[in-house]
Amino acid sequence: MEFKSRYTKEETAELIQWFKSHEYENELKLDKAQHITDLKKSLIQFIHIASTQYDNPNFAGFIYNLFRIREELIKQGKVKG
């Protein structure tokens, strides 16, 4: 997903549903600067933001990170099921 300043309700709902319907490892190195040691706890916060602030440009970075996290989990083979 390309970065956008606003995301639609449908885009965020699909993203949230993906995280709810998959199992994944609890640690993820997203890039050189971001290493998430408690992914499940972090996702609770990110998902809350995505579900309530999807059309607020101030929170677009958090939502974009959710898309990046999903892509990296898939790319790194850390998705179970």
Side-chain angles (χ1 to χ4, degrees), residues 55-72:
D55 63 347
N56 184 336
N58 293 323
F59 294 96
F62 288 99
I63 298 169
Y64 178 63
N65 262 349
L66 269 177
F67 282 104
R68 290 184 57 224
I69 289 167
R70 177 174 69 175
E71 288 173 9
E72 280 301 311

Side-chain angles (χ1 to χ4, degrees), residues 18 21-25 74 77-81:
W18 186 89
S21 63
H22 288 84
E23 292 184 32
Y24 36 83
E25 294 183 16
I74 294 168
K78 294 188 174 195
V79 178
K80 304 171 190 170

